[in-house]
Amino acid sequence: RVLGPVLALLKPYPVVVIGDREFHSDKLADWLRVRGVDVVFRQKKSAFVATSCQPGKSLKTQGFKSGESHFFTHVTFQKSEPIQGFNLGVYWEKSHRGKKVKEPWYLLTTISNPKLVKQLYQARWGIEMMFRDCKSGGYNMESTRVDATRFLALVLLITFAYWLATNCGHEFESNHLVAYLGRSEKTPNNFPHHSIFWIGLSGYAWSQSLVFWRDEMLALMALKPHKAHNFRQGLKALSLVQQVV
C-alpha cells in the first residue's frame, strides 16, 4: 500500500528500493522484481540461502571471514517456498572508522554489478542521517503528532526548510565559517563533528542570537579591548553569515 503509489509516480525513472534488515523480505523483493524494480535488501545472518558453492543453510554458518567480499548469482532463498533468481553480495570490512566490524553485509539484490550493489547500500546511511535531521537532530517531526493531512503539509514545509539549511551549510563551508558555527577540530578518525545541514541550521540560530543580544555582546566586547582584533574577525564572520541566511 505504501510502495504502490510511489512506484506509480516514479514510473518514468529507474528505481532501486534499498532495505535494512527490518525490511529483508525476499517475498517483497520478488514482488518488486515482477514490477521491474531493482532491490538491495540486507539479510539477517539467520537467513536460509543456497548458492552454487554452498548447499542450503543459514548465512552465519557459511564460513565467511572478516575482510572478504563475495558475490553469488542465481541463489535460492528460503527452505520452504523457495524463491530463486536473485543475487547475493557478501561484504565484510575489517574495520570502519577505526572500529572492528563484527559482521558482514548480506545483500539480496537483483543487480549484477557487485561494486554498484555495495555503493547503493552505502548510500542508505545518508537516508538515516536525513531521518535524524528531520527528527531529533533538527525539526522534531515526531513530536508534532498531527493528522495525516497536516503531516503532508508539514513534510512539504520541512522539505523547503531542509534544502535551505543544507544550501546555507555549503555556503558556510566554502566561506570557511564552520569554525564559528560548530566544533572546528576533527574527530580522532578525521571525520567532522557536524553535518552540513546542522551547520546551516546553526548559522541561522547563531546570527539571530547575536542580533538579539547585540547590546550585551558589545558591552562584553568593550571589557576586553586587547581582543579587538579577534572581535572584528567575529563580526566580519557574522556579517558573512547574515548575507547567506
Side-chain angles (χ1 to χ4, degrees):
R1 289 190 302 180
V2 173
L3 289 174
V6 175
L7 295 177
L9 290 171
L10 298 176
K11 192 172 182 180
Y13 307 98
V15 177
V16 181
V17 177
I18 303 171
D20 199 3
R21 282 171 292 191
E22 299 172 70
F23 307 98
H24 65 279
S25 170
D26 41 23
K27 290 183 179 179
L28 174 59
D30 193 45
W31 182 87
L32 289 164
R33 178 175 60 174
V34 169
R35 286 155 180 79
V37 177
D38 284 315
V39 300
V40 179
F41 285 178
R42 187 173 177 182
Q43 300 296 295
K44 296 181 178 180
K45 61 184 179 182
S46 59
F48 178 89
V49 177
T51 70
S52 58
C53 303
Q54 293 276 9
K57 55 183 179 180
S58 65
L59 288 168
K60 64 182 177 182
T61 63
Q62 296 202 17
F64 301 117
K65 298 179 180 179
S66 177
E68 293 182 344
S69 293
H70 303 275
F71 196 81
F72 306 98
T73 58
H74 304 292
V75 301
T76 301
F77 284 82
Q78 287 194 34
K79 184 181 293 186
S80 59
E81 301 180 13
I83 295 179
Q84 300 176 332
F86 284 99
N87 303 323
L88 174 70
V90 180
Y91 308 91
W92 195 343
E93 295 184 358
K94 288 186 176 181
S95 63
H96 178 69
R97 295 191 175 184
K99 295 183 179 179
K100 184 178 180 181
V101 178
K102 295 181 180 179
E103 60 182 29
W105 288 347
Y106 301 112
L107 303 180
L108 174 155
T109 183
T110 54
I111 299 170
S112 58
N113 185 327
K115 185 176 180 180
L116 179 60
V117 171
K118 184 179 180 182
Q119 289 175 339
L120 286 168
Y121 191 74
Q122 285 174 326
R124 180 192 156 277
W125 300 106
I127 300 172
E128 288 288 336
M129 296 300 101
M130 186 191 71
F131 286 164
R132 186 190 65 181
D133 292 338
C134 291
K135 297 188 285 187
S136 61
Y139 295 128
N140 296 310
M141 183 187 291
E142 288 183 319
S143 301
T144 59
R145 301 186 183 279
V146 294
D147 60 29
T149 302
R150 291 189 175 185
F151 179 76
L152 289 176
L154 183 64
V155 169
L156 180 61
L157 289 173
I158 286 179
T159 300
F160 286 117
Y162 192 89
W163 177 82
L164 287 170
T166 304
N167 192 51
C168 286
H170 282 295
E171 289 289 331
F172 296 149
E173 187 177 50
S174 63
N175 290 325
H176 307 288
L177 297 171
V178 174
Y180 293 93
L181 306 174
R183 298 169 65 182
S184 58
E185 74 275 12
K186 299 287 187 176
T187 62
N189 296 319
N190 205 35
F191 290 95
H193 285 282
H194 303 296
S195 67
I196 293 297
F197 162 77
W198 190 96
I199 292 296
L201 208 60
S202 177
Y204 176 79
W206 183 69
S207 63
Q208 293 301 306
S209 66
L210 291 184
V211 170
F212 184 80
W213 298 103
R214 179 178 179 276
D215 293 339
E216 289 78 5
M217 176 184 70
L218 294 175
L220 289 170
M221 288 167 59
L223 297 175
K224 299 284 186 179
H226 61 286
K227 294 286 187 179
H229 175 71
N230 302 91
F231 293 145
R232 282 196 296 269
Q233 286 183 317
L235 291 173
K236 182 179 179 181
L238 174 61
S239 176
L240 291 172
V241 169
Q242 288 174 330
Q243 289 176 30
V244 174
V245 301

